[in-house]
Amino acid sequence: MLAALERTNRFLERPLEMTPRVLLVTAALLLVPALVVPLWTMTMFAPQYPDGLRLYIHADRLVGGNRDQDIKEINVLNHYIGMRDLSTADFTEFKWMPFVLGGIGLLLLRAAVLGKTSKLVDVLVIYCYFGAFSLWSFAGKMYRYGHELAPTASVKVEPFMPPLFGYEKLANFEVYSYPALGSYLLFAVAGLLLGALWLDWRAARVGPGGGERPS
């Protein structure tokens, strides 16, 4: 056990080579466009809306399609079934997500500059936690929107869960929910972090002489 801990400590304290550092800087740069492009998109089709109503979810705001007119139309429909209006102010996530992404970007650059495996592992763990928490928070928000319906609504519907991912039929609406460009950029950041850690682990295994280190 003690020997395993010592090997782990040596690995975590070893300096990063240039390629993992470049991957860390690249990951930090990818966070910049992820702050301004949509992270998620929801599209709703119905006979009266053959072209669809679109909702784009950014890191800091909601944006409706058709120059933001779609979100107004969605809120009119929500009023009939007792669902509260979709509003940027109602999403507390929009207040902290840009700051968290900015902080992660700084941690990525810090790991690249300090150049230790431990810093890379730290930011990878924090990033995975941020991703899992964000998805959980988004799913919880969708659940509450579909279940906290006003009892005085003119149209009675059973509580429902808007789709987090994929397709679902809700009344006469066909709803599609998928990641947008911003989420793919965030997925790419995770891939770059995992790639940097794998390259660092491989370099530690091979050693400076080109041969594999003994266990």
Side-chain angles (χ1 to χ4, degrees):
M1 176 66 74
L2 183 59
L5 288 174
E6 290 177 349
R7 287 197 300 270
T8 300
N9 288 335
R10 286 197 301 269
F11 172 67
L12 291 175
E13 291 304 312
R14 70 184 305 276
L16 294 174
E17 296 186 351
M18 182 56 64
T19 301
R21 294 185 190 222
V22 171
L23 293 181
L24 288 170
V25 173
T26 303
L29 294 176
L30 288 182
L31 291 178
V32 177
L35 286 168
V36 297
V37 299
L39 296 174
W40 218 268
T41 180
M42 298 184 72
T43 307
M44 290 150 275
F45 293 98
Q48 65 270 41
Y49 299 106
D51 295 329
L53 299 173
R54 290 171 175 79
L55 178 67
Y56 302 100
I57 302 172
H58 291 248
D60 61 345
R61 66 194 186 280
L62 296 175
V63 177
N66 191 24
R67 298 182 180 179
D68 221 27
Q69 292 303 308
D70 285 357
I71 194 170
K72 297 178 182 178
E73 192 68 28
I74 292 170
N75 283 333
V76 170
L77 296 170
N78 288 346
H79 175 75
Y80 288 113
I81 64 173
M83 183 187 292
R84 65 179 183 270
D85 287 350
L86 293 172
S87 170
T88 294
D90 195 39
F91 284 75
T92 56
E93 295 84 350
F94 294 151
K95 298 178 181 179
W96 54 259
M97 185 171 289
F99 293 98
V100 173
L101 287 174
I104 290 174
L106 293 176
L107 290 176
L108 287 167
L109 295 176
R110 175 175 178 267
V113 172
L114 296 180
K116 283 190 176 183
T117 303
S118 59
K119 309 305 180 186
L120 168 58
V121 172
D122 287 345
V123 72
L124 176 59
V125 171
I126 291 171
Y127 191 76
C128 289
Y129 173 78
F130 160 74
F133 179 81
S134 298
L135 286 175
W136 172 81
S137 181
F138 179 38
K141 187 72 69 174
M142 291 296 99
Y143 180 88
R144 288 191 293 274
Y145 265 107
H147 283 74
E148 296 176 356
L149 303 177
T152 57
S154 56
V155 178
K156 304 298 183 183
V157 298
E158 291 294 324
F160 61 93
M161 172 71 174
L164 181 65
F165 181 86
Y167 163 82
E168 189 165 337
K169 180 80 170 179
L170 299 174
N172 66 329
F173 277 85
E174 294 183 330
V175 184
Y176 298 84
S177 177
Y178 290 103
L181 176 59
S183 289
Y184 291 117
L185 291 173
L186 296 181
F187 294 150
V189 170
L192 289 171
L193 285 171
L194 290 172
L197 183 60
W198 181 80
L199 288 174
D200 185 52
W201 174 83
R202 185 169 177 269
R205 291 286 295 173
V206 171
E212 184 170 326
R213 290 182 183 273
S215 300

